Structure formats: C-alpha cells, structure tokens
Amino acid sequence: MPEVVNGGAAGAAGASGAGASGASSDVNNNASSEQLGALSYVFLNSKGGMDGVDMQSVQQVVAAMSAGSRHEANERRKATEHAERTRQLLQRKSTWERDKVAVAKSRREVDAAVTRLEEQRRLSSVFCHVDQDQYYAACEEQERPELSGKAFAVGGIGMISTANYVARKYGVRSAMPGFIALKLCPHLIFVRPDFSKYTAKAQEVRGVLRTFDANLQVRGLDEASLDVTAYVKGRRDRDVLEAVAEKIRHDVAAATGGLTCSVGIAPTRELAKIASDRNKPNGQCIVEDFTREAVLSFIRPLETRKITGIGKVTDASLKALGITTVEDLYNARYLLHGILTPTASSFLLRTSLGIGAEDVSADRGGAEDDQQEHNRKSCSVERTFEPIGDRHTLSRKLIDIAFTLSRHLHDLGLRGHQLTLKIKLSNFEIRSRQVTLPHATDSSDDLIPAALKLLKAELPLSARLLGLKVSQWENENDTQVASRDILARFLQKGDEEDEEGGLRKVEEIVPSTTPTPAAAVAAKMAPPTTVRSEPWACIACTLENEASAKRCEACGALKGSSLPPTSTLALEKKRRAPTLLDGFASRLKKRSG
DNA sequence: TACATACAC
DNA sequence: CATGGTGTATGTA
C-alpha cells in the first residue's frame, strides 16, 4: 500500500495551544475541542463496527484515562506533524489548481489511465474473502463456555487483542489498552492469549478452505482470500454464489466445532474483503451481478476508511481535501494525480474504479503456511518493558532479544546481511539504527556485538522497547566472501587499523567494552591465560565487573568471552570467523572497490 | 543504504 | 497499577 498522502491529519490540529488545561472535570460537558483534537484522532482507528456504541462517551473515557500520559503527549506531537504535512498538502493543491498547464496535463494523463484500467478490468473471476468472527475470543469461548454471554477480552491490562461482541458494546476494542477497557466495562474479564491454540484452529480452517481453493492466500490467523472461479466452474449466478458462501461458512463451523466466519464474494479480492465485513458476524455478502455498474454502485458510497490501505492518517488527509467517499476519490482524480506520487495516485484511481491490484499469483504461490516458508523479507523480535535507563540492563535485554532472534532465524534456515535495532524511548518516540554485516548470519555470536554497538552509539537514553530485525537474506548466487580471507587480511594489516570516528566519539560518553576487531580476534585465537587482578568489563554486555568475578554479573558471560552462556547457546552453530570484523570488512570493501 | 512513517492483522 | 508484536511497502535523502 502506498503512503497515499505523505502524512497529514486534518482533524488533529488540536495540539498547538492545548497544554494540559483541566476541562475534563465537568461531566456534563464534552471534552474540549483541544482535548478531542489529538484523541479523537486516536479513536478513529477502527474500520467501523461501533454501531450501537455511544462514541462520544467512550471517547471521553479514553481522553480522561489518557490525560497527561506520555503516550498522549506523543500522540499530540504526531498530530502536530500531521497538521504541518496537511498544510503542505493543501498548499500543493492550491498551487496545482492555479497551474492551468498542469491541470490540463493531469486530465490527459488520468483520462488515458482510466481507459487503460478499464481495459484491464476483469469481471470473470470470483473471489471469496473469509474472515473469522472475533477470532481469538471465539477460540477461547469454545474452551470456556462459562464465558458465553459475558464481556471478555483476549489480552491484558496493557493491551487488548480481541474483544468479544459483548465487550464491544461497551466500546472495548482491539488495540485498546486494558486499563481503559476496564474503565469502559468494569466487569470485563481478561483472558490470556494462547497463540498456539489460535494457530491450531487456523490450520483447521485453512484445511476446509483449501477444498475451495488450494492456492488460498492467508492474511494473519483469521483471514483468507480465495479464488473460487474454478470451484464454481465459472458460474456467477447469485444463487450459486450465495450457496458457496453458505457452504464455506457451514464447513468452517463444522470443522472447528462452531467457529463462525463472515464471507464476502466479489470480482476482486479487495472488494470481497470489504463485502465480508458488511454482514458481520456470521454473515455473507455477494457483490451482485459481476458487472462494471454493480461494482461501481457497490463502492461509490463507501467511506474511504473502508478501503484496505487507507488508514487513519491517510483518511484524515483525504478529508482535508474534502474527500470522504470513494466517489469523492474518483471525482478528485485529476487533483490527486497532480499532487501525489504516481504510486499513491494510481492506487487511489484503481481503488475508486473498483479494479483490484494486479494479481501477483506466482509470488506467494500455494504455500503460505508454515510448511513451506514463503518469501519473507525480514525476521524480527521486539519487547516492551518498563522504561529503563541503565545501560547494563538495556544491554541484557538486547542480548536476550538477539538470542531469541537467532533461534528464530535458525529455525527458519535464514541468514541475513542487515541488522536493525529498534528503540522506543520512554516518551514513545521511535528510532531505528541499522548496519550491514560483512556476511549473512543467524548467529547470536554475530548479532550480539553488532547490536550492542548500535545501542551504545545511542546512549544515554531511557527506553521502553528494544527490538532487532534481520533482513537482506544471503543469496546463493552471491560471491560469499570467505571469512577466512577476511581474517587473514585482517591479521596482516594488524594494528594499523583504528576505530571508526563515530565509535570513538561514543566511547567518550560511555566507556565501551565492545571488543575491537583486534580484541575479538585475539579473544578467539589466544584466550588470555593470565588472570589479572583488575576490574574487568564484560565483552558481551559491557558491564564492569569485580576483579574477582569469573563471570559477568549482568549477563553471565565468562570473563574474556563475548558469548553469554545461555541454554540457547547450545543451539548456536559456530560456522564462521569472528564477526567483529564488521567495520573492518566494509573498509576493506571500500578500498578495493 | 539508512531512516522514518503508514498500514494490516 | 498504565498503550503490543511481526511484517510489508513507500518516500526521502
């Protein structure tokens, strides 16, 4: 999905002069517009389904619970940025409108594009979207019938994954923090998520769905998109399609002991998904006719937020341009072409015509499931915790994450060239820092020092989340730089190589114990045999330890070792030369290239 | 390549 | 007591 409007939140301009004014005590008054500015924006984060809910009062509870929090402050900060970008967007609009040449050009190009797209339009396929109802909650209720009829949510006090329909009546929703949900619904019951349960059930569902389309595309645990053209043998009569939808729902329920799903059928995957939402729960919707006119009358009145790929930010930007519905989107096509990137405007044009994305069927082929790992591009692990400023504690967290990530990579049989560190500061600001490693790896032996180095460069800070991601998989065709060669060349060059400037700067702030390349090699090749009676710094996690300590107090690594001893260490296979050649290897590369 | 943002689920 | 984790795509520099 393109980033449609390059930011921008029209309705979220309340951040400017708001401050922490205390208008919230008066129960009879709505929250001030300032208050709602940033917060209503948070709340629009749902695609709908709040039918019988008193949004106003829900919103007030959310506002009250959030007031003064760091999270809210961050939301306000983001809202300010959105407002600025919206301003720029409107500026571009007025510039474009006054440029008659540009307008004429836009007309020509868009008209041509529409003609081309209409030629591409295919109405002969039958797509079916299957969406499990309140999926996690439904799985739990199945095992705990006593939950039936009660308001409950899968998740915890921190975050709710799924609220059942009873809880939703109180305004409780997924992605809502549990403590706010509890305020909305004091008798709310929390159920701990059990993903293995949901995964197992999802497999059963997919087993059923494969009988309708062996090449189904899965989207998460609770959704799938099917091409049922072959199954219906090309027939598109209303009654045939209704019957197929019913059979799918029936078969899924039968195979899962009663889990319900909602089904949509349409000439494109995108429309089928939207249709599946229409008669939720346990319902179905067929976009009748499979004609261009029927498609258009189905989508025209839709609010733009219903479109997959248009989220709350984009939606707000579109609103700023006066665009609320898909019909508006079509009417604004020249403008959008004129002021947006080609990717974005073409996505919106296709959408407004009800023409799906080109089907890249070959891409993920028939086996998205765990059996045959599809073409994933990255693998990551991240953890949230109470804000931490202590660098040793942070290092330990990061090391844990690296081990977990290493294990995942190993299980997947993947090794990557790129390591990305993600940090969420205690004020919710997010940073990412990445390095390209000299060779693809899945080993914590490689990941840990590189990750610690990235972290160290950011200190001091206080974080509430750390994460690591590995990407850029090794390519069989790549000429693999033999690590032995790197090592040999490194040893030849010897000590003339120095630390990089950036690293040195950091060292002034935080005394680093990250092994230099030379130190790492030395550690591997000739572990120190003499025990010096001085305090020492752990190579693995940077903690300074007592002279008498044999192992690091923080991470347990042996003195002189960059490898913290963890049970998971047994999983690690050493297959390469020491990793800390990173900076060195890249410098070698630069020199030769 | 590096980083930030938006989005889906 | 107090706002998630995994993965993808896009834009910009």
PDB file of all heavy atoms in Angstrom, chain A residues 12 21 37 40 51 80 135 145 164 227 249 263 289 320 350 353 378 407 418 439 456 475 512 517 520 566 570:
ATOM      1  N   ALA A  12      -6.714  16.763  13.317  1.00  0.00           N
ATOM      2  CA  ALA A  12      -5.895  16.578  14.509  1.00  0.00           C
ATOM      3  C   ALA A  12      -5.060  17.796  14.835  1.00  0.00           C
ATOM      4  O   ALA A  12      -3.976  17.710  15.344  1.00  0.00           O
ATOM      5  CB  ALA A  12      -4.991  15.369  14.333  1.00  0.00           C
ATOM      6  N   SER A  21      -4.758  21.772  29.978  1.00  0.00           N
ATOM      7  CA  SER A  21      -5.848  22.501  30.604  1.00  0.00           C
ATOM      8  C   SER A  21      -6.836  21.532  31.236  1.00  0.00           C
ATOM      9  O   SER A  21      -7.118  20.477  30.717  1.00  0.00           O
ATOM     10  CB  SER A  21      -6.561  23.374  29.569  1.00  0.00           C
ATOM     11  OG  SER A  21      -7.037  22.572  28.515  1.00  0.00           O
ATOM     12  N   GLY A  37      -9.010  16.942  19.861  1.00  0.00           N
ATOM     13  CA  GLY A  37      -8.184  17.045  18.672  1.00  0.00           C
ATOM     14  C   GLY A  37      -7.291  15.842  18.494  1.00  0.00           C
ATOM     15  O   GLY A  37      -7.456  15.057  17.561  1.00  0.00           O
ATOM     16  N   SER A  40      -9.474  12.205  19.514  1.00  0.00           N
ATOM     17  CA  SER A  40     -10.483  11.654  18.616  1.00  0.00           C
ATOM     18  C   SER A  40      -9.756  10.947  17.481  1.00  0.00           C
ATOM     19  O   SER A  40     -10.159   9.909  16.994  1.00  0.00           O
ATOM     20  CB  SER A  40     -11.352  12.766  18.062  1.00  0.00           C
ATOM     21  OG  SER A  40     -10.557  13.656  17.303  1.00  0.00           O
ATOM     22  N   ASP A  51     -21.450   0.283  15.880  1.00  0.00           N
ATOM     23  CA  ASP A  51     -22.818   0.680  15.584  1.00  0.00           C
ATOM     24  C   ASP A  51     -23.595   1.192  16.797  1.00  0.00           C
ATOM     25  O   ASP A  51     -23.942   2.345  16.877  1.00  0.00           O
ATOM     26  CB  ASP A  51     -23.567  -0.492  14.939  1.00  0.00           C
ATOM     27  CG  ASP A  51     -22.944  -0.868  13.614  1.00  0.00           C
ATOM     28  OD1 ASP A  51     -22.156  -0.062  13.087  1.00  0.00           O
ATOM     29  OD2 ASP A  51     -23.231  -1.967  13.119  1.00  0.00           O
ATOM     30  N   THR A  80       0.730  17.185  15.634  1.00  0.00           N
ATOM     31  CA  THR A  80       1.304  18.441  15.162  1.00  0.00           C
ATOM     32  C   THR A  80       2.000  18.245  13.822  1.00  0.00           C
ATOM     33  O   THR A  80       1.852  19.052  12.905  1.00  0.00           O
ATOM     34  CB  THR A  80       2.328  18.978  16.187  1.00  0.00           C
ATOM     35  OG1 THR A  80       1.708  18.987  17.478  1.00  0.00           O
ATOM     36  CG2 THR A  80       2.773  20.368  15.817  1.00  0.00           C
ATOM     37  N   TYR A 135     -12.048 -13.562  16.366  1.00  0.00           N
ATOM     38  CA  TYR A 135     -11.400 -14.868  16.293  1.00  0.00           C
ATOM     39  C   TYR A 135     -10.808 -15.386  17.600  1.00  0.00           C
ATOM     40  O   TYR A 135     -11.144 -16.478  18.059  1.00  0.00           O
ATOM     41  CB  TYR A 135     -10.328 -14.849  15.198  1.00  0.00           C
ATOM     42  CG  TYR A 135      -9.672 -16.184  15.017  1.00  0.00           C
ATOM     43  CD1 TYR A 135     -10.432 -17.307  14.715  1.00  0.00           C
ATOM     44  CD2 TYR A 135      -8.302 -16.338  15.175  1.00  0.00           C
ATOM     45  CE1 TYR A 135      -9.845 -18.555  14.562  1.00  0.00           C
ATOM     46  CE2 TYR A 135      -7.707 -17.573  15.016  1.00  0.00           C
ATOM     47  CZ  TYR A 135      -8.485 -18.674  14.708  1.00  0.00           C
ATOM     48  OH  TYR A 135      -7.907 -19.892  14.561  1.00  0.00           O
ATOM     49  N   PRO A 145     -16.891 -22.349  28.080  1.00  0.00           N
ATOM     50  CA  PRO A 145     -18.295 -21.980  27.811  1.00  0.00           C
ATOM     51  C   PRO A 145     -18.859 -21.021  28.859  1.00  0.00           C
ATOM     52  O   PRO A 145     -19.801 -20.283  28.578  1.00  0.00           O
ATOM     53  CB  PRO A 145     -19.031 -23.322  27.871  1.00  0.00           C
ATOM     54  CG  PRO A 145     -17.984 -24.362  27.710  1.00  0.00           C
ATOM     55  CD  PRO A 145     -16.724 -23.800  28.256  1.00  0.00           C
ATOM     56  N   ASN A 164     -14.683  -9.610  22.700  1.00  0.00           N
ATOM     57  CA  ASN A 164     -15.830 -10.305  22.130  1.00  0.00           C
ATOM     58  C   ASN A 164     -16.965  -9.299  21.884  1.00  0.00           C
ATOM     59  O   ASN A 164     -16.877  -8.146  22.287  1.00  0.00           O
ATOM     60  CB  ASN A 164     -16.270 -11.487  23.010  1.00  0.00           C
ATOM     61  CG  ASN A 164     -16.948 -11.032  24.298  1.00  0.00           C
ATOM     62  OD1 ASN A 164     -16.897  -9.863  24.660  1.00  0.00           O
ATOM     63  ND2 ASN A 164     -17.582 -11.977  24.974  1.00  0.00           N
ATOM     64  N   ASP A 227      -9.692 -17.731  -4.514  1.00  0.00           N
ATOM     65  CA  ASP A 227     -10.178 -17.622  -5.886  1.00  0.00           C
ATOM     66  C   ASP A 227     -11.045 -18.854  -6.143  1.00  0.00           C
ATOM     67  O   ASP A 227     -10.535 -19.962  -6.306  1.00  0.00           O
ATOM     68  CB  ASP A 227      -8.992 -17.584  -6.853  1.00  0.00           C
ATOM     69  CG  ASP A 227      -9.452 -17.430  -8.300  1.00  0.00           C
ATOM     70  OD1 ASP A 227     -10.659 -17.614  -8.567  1.00  0.00           O
ATOM     71  OD2 ASP A 227      -8.602 -17.135  -9.161  1.00  0.00           O
ATOM     72  N   ARG A 249     -19.175 -21.205   5.087  1.00  0.00           N
ATOM     73  CA  ARG A 249     -19.443 -20.907   6.500  1.00  0.00           C
ATOM     74  C   ARG A 249     -19.846 -22.165   7.253  1.00  0.00           C
ATOM     75  O   ARG A 249     -19.425 -22.397   8.382  1.00  0.00           O
ATOM     76  CB  ARG A 249     -20.527 -19.831   6.609  1.00  0.00           C
ATOM     77  CG  ARG A 249     -20.068 -18.495   6.036  1.00  0.00           C
ATOM     78  CD  ARG A 249     -20.945 -17.354   6.494  1.00  0.00           C
ATOM     79  NE  ARG A 249     -22.313 -17.498   6.022  1.00  0.00           N
ATOM     80  CZ  ARG A 249     -23.379 -17.594   6.801  1.00  0.00           C
ATOM     81  NH1 ARG A 249     -23.243 -17.587   8.112  1.00  0.00           N
ATOM     82  NH2 ARG A 249     -24.577 -17.717   6.283  1.00  0.00           N
ATOM     83  N   VAL A 263     -18.291 -13.963   5.210  1.00  0.00           N
ATOM     84  CA  VAL A 263     -17.793 -14.229   3.865  1.00  0.00           C
ATOM     85  C   VAL A 263     -18.247 -13.137   2.902  1.00  0.00           C
ATOM     86  O   VAL A 263     -19.394 -12.684   2.962  1.00  0.00           O
ATOM     87  CB  VAL A 263     -18.314 -15.602   3.383  1.00  0.00           C
ATOM     88  CG1 VAL A 263     -18.062 -15.779   1.896  1.00  0.00           C
ATOM     89  CG2 VAL A 263     -17.657 -16.725   4.180  1.00  0.00           C
ATOM     90  N   ASP A 289     -24.142  -9.352  -9.420  1.00  0.00           N
ATOM     91  CA  ASP A 289     -24.057  -9.034 -10.839  1.00  0.00           C
ATOM     92  C   ASP A 289     -22.739  -9.245 -11.550  1.00  0.00           C
ATOM     93  O   ASP A 289     -22.726  -9.627 -12.693  1.00  0.00           O
ATOM     94  CB  ASP A 289     -24.417  -7.561 -11.058  1.00  0.00           C
ATOM     95  CG  ASP A 289     -25.752  -7.452 -11.757  1.00  0.00           C
ATOM     96  OD1 ASP A 289     -26.467  -8.460 -11.718  1.00  0.00           O
ATOM     97  OD2 ASP A 289     -26.033  -6.404 -12.322  1.00  0.00           O
ATOM     98  N   ALA A 320      -9.168  16.331   4.579  1.00  0.00           N
ATOM     99  CA  ALA A 320      -8.721  17.724   4.440  1.00  0.00           C
ATOM    100  C   ALA A 320      -8.897  18.207   3.009  1.00  0.00           C
ATOM    101  O   ALA A 320      -9.075  19.391   2.750  1.00  0.00           O
ATOM    102  CB  ALA A 320      -7.266  17.848   4.871  1.00  0.00           C
ATOM    103  N   ARG A 350      -7.212   3.208  -9.102  1.00  0.00           N
ATOM    104  CA  ARG A 350      -7.674   1.816  -9.217  1.00  0.00           C
ATOM    105  C   ARG A 350      -8.783   1.565  -8.214  1.00  0.00           C
ATOM    106  O   ARG A 350      -9.813   0.960  -8.528  1.00  0.00           O
ATOM    107  CB  ARG A 350      -6.539   0.829  -8.931  1.00  0.00           C
ATOM    108  CG  ARG A 350      -5.386   0.862  -9.900  1.00  0.00           C
ATOM    109  CD  ARG A 350      -4.405  -0.265  -9.556  1.00  0.00           C
ATOM    110  NE  ARG A 350      -4.849  -1.526 -10.117  1.00  0.00           N
ATOM    111  CZ  ARG A 350      -4.390  -2.038 -11.251  1.00  0.00           C
ATOM    112  NH1 ARG A 350      -3.466  -1.396 -11.930  1.00  0.00           N
ATOM    113  NH2 ARG A 350      -4.853  -3.182 -11.698  1.00  0.00           N
ATOM    114  N   LEU A 353     -12.107   2.970  -8.994  1.00  0.00           N
ATOM    115  CA  LEU A 353     -12.769   2.281 -10.098  1.00  0.00           C
ATOM    116  C   LEU A 353     -13.162   0.851  -9.720  1.00  0.00           C
ATOM    117  O   LEU A 353     -13.776   0.141 -10.503  1.00  0.00           O
ATOM    118  CB  LEU A 353     -11.840   2.236 -11.321  1.00  0.00           C
ATOM    119  CG  LEU A 353     -11.588   3.576 -12.007  1.00  0.00           C
ATOM    120  CD1 LEU A 353     -10.429   3.452 -12.991  1.00  0.00           C
ATOM    121  CD2 LEU A 353     -12.848   4.052 -12.709  1.00  0.00           C
ATOM    122  N   SER A 378      12.088 -10.365   6.124  1.00  0.00           N
ATOM    123  CA  SER A 378      12.761  -9.993   7.364  1.00  0.00           C
ATOM    124  C   SER A 378      12.252 -10.860   8.503  1.00  0.00           C
ATOM    125  O   SER A 378      11.230 -11.540   8.368  1.00  0.00           O
ATOM    126  CB  SER A 378      12.527  -8.524   7.685  1.00  0.00           C
ATOM    127  OG  SER A 378      11.172  -8.301   7.990  1.00  0.00           O
ATOM    128  N   ARG A 407      17.542 -17.742  17.321  1.00  0.00           N
ATOM    129  CA  ARG A 407      16.840 -19.025  17.308  1.00  0.00           C
ATOM    130  C   ARG A 407      15.783 -19.047  16.198  1.00  0.00           C
ATOM    131  O   ARG A 407      15.663 -20.009  15.457  1.00  0.00           O
ATOM    132  CB  ARG A 407      16.192 -19.262  18.677  1.00  0.00           C
ATOM    133  CG  ARG A 407      15.511 -20.577  18.819  1.00  0.00           C
ATOM    134  CD  ARG A 407      15.339 -20.995  20.272  1.00  0.00           C
ATOM    135  NE  ARG A 407      15.357 -19.883  21.205  1.00  0.00           N
ATOM    136  CZ  ARG A 407      14.264 -19.212  21.570  1.00  0.00           C
ATOM    137  NH1 ARG A 407      13.095 -19.519  21.047  1.00  0.00           N
ATOM    138  NH2 ARG A 407      14.366 -18.237  22.451  1.00  0.00           N
ATOM    139  N   GLN A 418      21.666  -7.758   7.080  1.00  0.00           N
ATOM    140  CA  GLN A 418      21.357  -6.462   7.655  1.00  0.00           C
ATOM    141  C   GLN A 418      20.760  -6.613   9.040  1.00  0.00           C
ATOM    142  O   GLN A 418      19.862  -7.426   9.246  1.00  0.00           O
ATOM    143  CB  GLN A 418      20.354  -5.742   6.769  1.00  0.00           C
ATOM    144  CG  GLN A 418      20.158  -4.301   7.150  1.00  0.00           C
ATOM    145  CD  GLN A 418      20.160  -3.427   5.928  1.00  0.00           C
ATOM    146  OE1 GLN A 418      19.617  -3.804   4.907  1.00  0.00           O
ATOM    147  NE2 GLN A 418      20.789  -2.292   6.009  1.00  0.00           N
ATOM    148  N   HIS A 439      28.905 -10.455   6.505  1.00  0.00           N
ATOM    149  CA  HIS A 439      28.394 -11.678   5.903  1.00  0.00           C
ATOM    150  C   HIS A 439      27.025 -11.964   6.493  1.00  0.00           C
ATOM    151  O   HIS A 439      26.697 -11.496   7.577  1.00  0.00           O
ATOM    152  CB  HIS A 439      29.338 -12.850   6.177  1.00  0.00           C
ATOM    153  CG  HIS A 439      29.685 -12.996   7.618  1.00  0.00           C
ATOM    154  ND1 HIS A 439      30.938 -12.722   8.118  1.00  0.00           N
ATOM    155  CD2 HIS A 439      28.926 -13.325   8.692  1.00  0.00           C
ATOM    156  CE1 HIS A 439      30.943 -12.896   9.415  1.00  0.00           C
ATOM    157  NE2 HIS A 439      29.737 -13.263   9.797  1.00  0.00           N
ATOM    158  N   LYS A 456      24.914   1.190  21.893  1.00  0.00           N
ATOM    159  CA  LYS A 456      25.852   2.028  22.612  1.00  0.00           C
ATOM    160  C   LYS A 456      25.979   3.405  21.974  1.00  0.00           C
ATOM    161  O   LYS A 456      26.129   4.410  22.641  1.00  0.00           O
ATOM    162  CB  LYS A 456      27.219   1.345  22.665  1.00  0.00           C
ATOM    163  CG  LYS A 456      27.967   1.644  23.930  1.00  0.00           C
ATOM    164  CD  LYS A 456      29.128   0.688  24.089  1.00  0.00           C
ATOM    165  CE  LYS A 456      28.641  -0.750  24.066  1.00  0.00           C
ATOM    166  NZ  LYS A 456      29.736  -1.713  24.109  1.00  0.00           N
ATOM    167  N   ASN A 475      22.285 -14.596  -0.515  1.00  0.00           N
ATOM    168  CA  ASN A 475      21.869 -15.022  -1.847  1.00  0.00           C
ATOM    169  C   ASN A 475      22.826 -16.101  -2.329  1.00  0.00           C
ATOM    170  O   ASN A 475      24.030 -15.920  -2.333  1.00  0.00           O
ATOM    171  CB  ASN A 475      21.916 -13.816  -2.782  1.00  0.00           C
ATOM    172  CG  ASN A 475      21.367 -14.160  -4.140  1.00  0.00           C
ATOM    173  OD1 ASN A 475      21.319 -15.332  -4.531  1.00  0.00           O
ATOM    174  ND2 ASN A 475      20.958 -13.158  -4.867  1.00  0.00           N
ATOM    175  N   SER A 512      33.400   2.120  26.384  1.00  0.00           N
ATOM    176  CA  SER A 512      32.946   0.925  25.686  1.00  0.00           C
ATOM    177  C   SER A 512      33.833  -0.259  25.980  1.00  0.00           C
ATOM    178  O   SER A 512      35.040  -0.136  26.116  1.00  0.00           O
ATOM    179  CB  SER A 512      32.951   1.162  24.188  1.00  0.00           C
ATOM    180  OG  SER A 512      32.787  -0.065  23.524  1.00  0.00           O
ATOM    181  N   PRO A 517      37.989  -5.121  16.629  1.00  0.00           N
ATOM    182  CA  PRO A 517      38.286  -6.293  15.792  1.00  0.00           C
ATOM    183  C   PRO A 517      39.513  -7.028  16.303  1.00  0.00           C
ATOM    184  O   PRO A 517      39.511  -8.249  16.422  1.00  0.00           O
ATOM    185  CB  PRO A 517      38.519  -5.676  14.417  1.00  0.00           C
ATOM    186  CG  PRO A 517      37.663  -4.452  14.431  1.00  0.00           C
ATOM    187  CD  PRO A 517      37.698  -3.933  15.850  1.00  0.00           C
ATOM    188  N   ALA A 520      38.687  -8.946  19.367  1.00  0.00           N
ATOM    189  CA  ALA A 520      37.844 -10.108  19.115  1.00  0.00           C
ATOM    190  C   ALA A 520      38.678 -11.260  18.569  1.00  0.00           C
ATOM    191  O   ALA A 520      38.528 -12.408  18.982  1.00  0.00           O
ATOM    192  CB  ALA A 520      36.752  -9.745  18.121  1.00  0.00           C
ATOM    193  N   THR A 566      24.108 -19.152  27.735  1.00  0.00           N
ATOM    194  CA  THR A 566      22.677 -19.328  27.900  1.00  0.00           C
ATOM    195  C   THR A 566      22.379 -20.715  27.404  1.00  0.00           C
ATOM    196  O   THR A 566      23.117 -21.263  26.605  1.00  0.00           O
ATOM    197  CB  THR A 566      21.918 -18.302  27.055  1.00  0.00           C
ATOM    198  OG1 THR A 566      22.399 -17.010  27.363  1.00  0.00           O
ATOM    199  CG2 THR A 566      20.428 -18.362  27.332  1.00  0.00           C
ATOM    200  N   ALA A 570      23.441 -23.608  23.144  1.00  0.00           N
ATOM    201  CA  ALA A 570      23.625 -24.932  22.567  1.00  0.00           C
ATOM    202  C   ALA A 570      23.100 -24.986  21.139  1.00  0.00           C
ATOM    203  O   ALA A 570      23.568 -25.766  20.320  1.00  0.00           O
ATOM    204  CB  ALA A 570      22.912 -25.971  23.420  1.00  0.00           C
TER     205      ALA A 570
END
